[in-house]
Structures are given as structure tokens and as C-alpha cells.
Amino acid sequence: MTRARILLMAHRQMADSDIKEALGISVQMAQSTRKRFVLGGLEAALFDAPHTGRPAKFDGKDRAAITALACSEAPEGHARWSIRLLAEKAVELNVVDGIAPSTVFYMLKKTRSSRTAKGSGVSRG
């Protein structure tokens, strides 16, 4: 939607700085959208090209399951979840085939609430 608005405003002869202010974007985004339109047409300006590289190994369901696990009670003998313990338990419960503790940390870090904050029941280690 933002890219379409950029193109509409550009068509109305608005300057990139005015588009920036009106839409709350960077001048760079306005310029790159205009450039993509000139070089590749409307489709190229409005939609991202397919991304290269390896597809994501874990989907939203995997992330949700690991986050739910982190929010649950820690196993007996542990005061709280550690990142390493979460990774091991996720594999043990067949949530995932295998996962590095650093990936678990990244998944939990990407949530809006801090699952790794002191007192939340999860620690890195």
C-alpha cells in the first residue's frame, strides 16, 4: 500500500521530501520505489522480487511451540528454562528435528515480550 501511495504522490508531482513527510517513510524509500517503477514497471515497484537463498527452516508453528515451551514451567530440577535446555527439549518433544541454542535465542528475541529477561523464567546458557 505504501509503495502504491508513493507512486500516486509522485504522479501528482510531489517531491520525495513531501512524500516522506506525508507517509512517514525515508526519502530513500520514495526514491527507490520511483526507480523500481522506471526500470521494471508497476509490478516491480509494488512487489518484492523472490528472495534468493535458503528458505527458512522453521515456520511460525515451530516458533510458537518453542515460545509456548519457554512460557511453561521449567522441568523438575531446574529453577528456570535455559536456552540450551529449551533447544534440547524442543528436539526431545519432536517440535523440531534439531535446533541450535542460538536459534532458540533468536526466535525468543524476535517476540515483543522479553522471554530472556531476568525473572521471566528463561535464561541464556
Side-chain angles (χ1 to χ4, degrees), residues 6 8-23 25-27 30-31 34:
I6 291 168
L8 277 171
M9 292 175 167
H11 179 72
R12 293 179 184 149
Q13 306 299 316
M14 289 179 71
D16 289 338
S17 58
D18 294 333
I19 296 172
K20 169 193 175 249
E21 293 301 318
L23 299 178
I25 60 168
S26 67
V27 170
Q31 291 171 343
R34 285 177 185 249

Side-chain angles (χ1 to χ4, degrees), residues 83-84 87 99-109 124:
I83 299 297
R84 183 172 310 283
I99 190 167
S102 59
T103 304
V104 172
F105 177 75
Y106 178 74
M107 282 180 178
L108 297 175
K109 184 176 182 224
R124 188 169 188 208

Side-chain angles (χ1 to χ4, degrees), residues 81-90 99-101 104 123-125:
W81 286 104
S82 69
I83 299 297
R84 183 172 310 283
L85 189 58
L86 282 168
E88 291 168 359
K89 195 66 166 178
I99 190 167
V104 172
S123 68
R124 188 169 188 208

Side-chain angles (χ1 to χ4, degrees), residues 10-118:
H11 179 72
R12 293 179 184 149
Q13 306 299 316
M14 289 179 71
D16 289 338
S17 58
D18 294 333
I19 296 172
K20 169 193 175 249
E21 293 301 318
L23 299 178
I25 60 168
S26 67
V27 170
Q28 165 65 30
M29 182 172 182
Q31 291 171 343
S32 66
T33 302
R34 285 177 185 249
K35 182 178 179 180
R36 287 170 59 164
F37 177 73
V38 169
L39 296 177
L42 186 60
E43 290 287 319
L46 295 179
F47 304 104
D48 289 331
H51 294 278
T52 60
R54 188 178 72 192
K57 184 174 179 181
F58 305 106
D59 60 16
K61 187 177 116 190
D62 299 329
R63 292 173 189 275
I66 290 172
T67 302
L69 185 61
C71 293
S72 69
E73 284 290 319
E76 192 173 319
H78 297 276
R80 59 185 176 195
W81 286 104
S82 69
I83 299 297
R84 183 172 310 283
L85 189 58
L86 282 168
E88 291 168 359
K89 195 66 166 178
V91 172
E92 180 184 321
L93 296 174
N94 292 320
V95 172
V96 294
D97 292 332
I99 190 167
S102 59
T103 304
V104 172
F105 177 75
Y106 178 74
M107 282 180 178
L108 297 175
K109 184 176 182 224
K110 296 289 279 187
T111 61
R112 290 195 180 267
S113 60
S114 178
R115 303 283 179 227
T116 57
K118 190 173 186 176

